[in-house]
Amino acid sequence: MKKEQLSIHLRIQYLCKAALALSIGVFGLLVASGNIIDYDSNWQFVRRVLAMDALEPWFNGAALEGRAVRDPFGQQLAYFAIIAGEMICGLLCAAGGVGMLRAAAGRDGLAWGKSLFTLGALVAVLVWYFGFAVVGGEYFAMWASKWNGQMKAYAFVGFILLSLVYIRQREEA
């Protein structure tokens, strides 16, 4: 694709898609780096959800408490997996955004950028939907915990999936 052949309409679409991809990439990288820099804040959240030791008094979770992970090594491993997923999501989405910026500049990179963003969005869904809503929310009964992060996870996933739908659409000249 030659630079002079790219219409202004396509450039705008590529730039919008790149901005969304880059913003989600930066989000993933900021969350991961925040978890590394201020390790203890979110570590307490993960540890308490996995240990199932902060369930609300009205919840009789005795039947489910056998699922609890109280081993510090297992908890650290889970937290490391979350941080790694956030970092991978951020890197892939940001790289996808760079590919779409290249397309806006008239260079190759659109298909590559969309593919990288799609992989990054998949990782995001695995972290925040599968990890927080399914595993944390249901398996570890986070919904009945004082440490409930499900609504934030749903908000993240909703925005990421909406962006994925838009970014994967064909551009119109």
Side-chain angles (χ1 to χ4, degrees):
M1 172 182 329
K2 293 185 179 173
K3 200 172 188 176
E4 61 274 3
Q5 294 176 338
L6 194 59
S7 75
I8 189 72
H9 302 292
L10 283 176
R11 282 184 202 272
I12 291 170
Q13 291 174 70
Y14 295 160
L15 285 172
C16 289
K17 291 177 179 191
L20 277 173
L22 287 167
S23 69
I24 292 169
V26 168
F27 172 73
L29 293 171
L30 283 174
V31 173
S33 65
N35 285 338
I36 294 167
I37 293 167
D38 184 17
Y39 190 87
D40 194 57
S41 292
N42 287 316
W43 160 243
Q44 294 306 318
F45 170 83
V46 172
R47 184 182 68 77
R48 300 298 297 273
V49 169
L50 294 176
M52 298 177 74
D53 62 359
L55 297 176
E56 296 287 352
W58 50 260
F59 180 71
N60 182 8
L64 300 180
E65 287 181 10
R67 298 176 175 177
V69 176
R70 293 188 178 94
D71 173 50
F73 178 76
Q75 293 172 341
Q76 292 280 351
L77 194 60
Y79 192 37
F80 175 77
I82 291 167
I83 294 170
E86 293 162 346
M87 186 68 70
I88 292 167
C89 159
L91 291 170
L92 287 170
C93 289
V98 169
M100 289 177 248
L101 280 178
R102 287 178 50 85
R107 296 190 213 114
D108 291 336
L110 183 64
W112 172 79
K114 284 184 172 189
S115 294
L116 288 175
F117 176 77
T118 301
L119 288 172
L122 171 64
V123 173
V125 168
L126 291 174
V127 169
W128 286 293
Y129 178 70
F130 182 73
F132 282 80
V134 176
V135 176
E138 290 304 317
Y139 189 81
F140 291 107
M142 182 171 45
W143 62 270
S145 174
K146 295 174 185 172
W147 296 84
N148 187 354
Q150 285 183 290
M151 292 313 293
K152 291 205 182 309
Y154 286 133
F156 300 158
V157 170
F159 182 77
I160 291 165
L161 288 175
L162 198 57
S163 298
L164 178 62
V165 168
Y166 172 65
I167 287 172
R168 293 303 305 186
Q169 286 182 340
R170 281 183 191 248
E171 295 74 26
E172 295 184 22

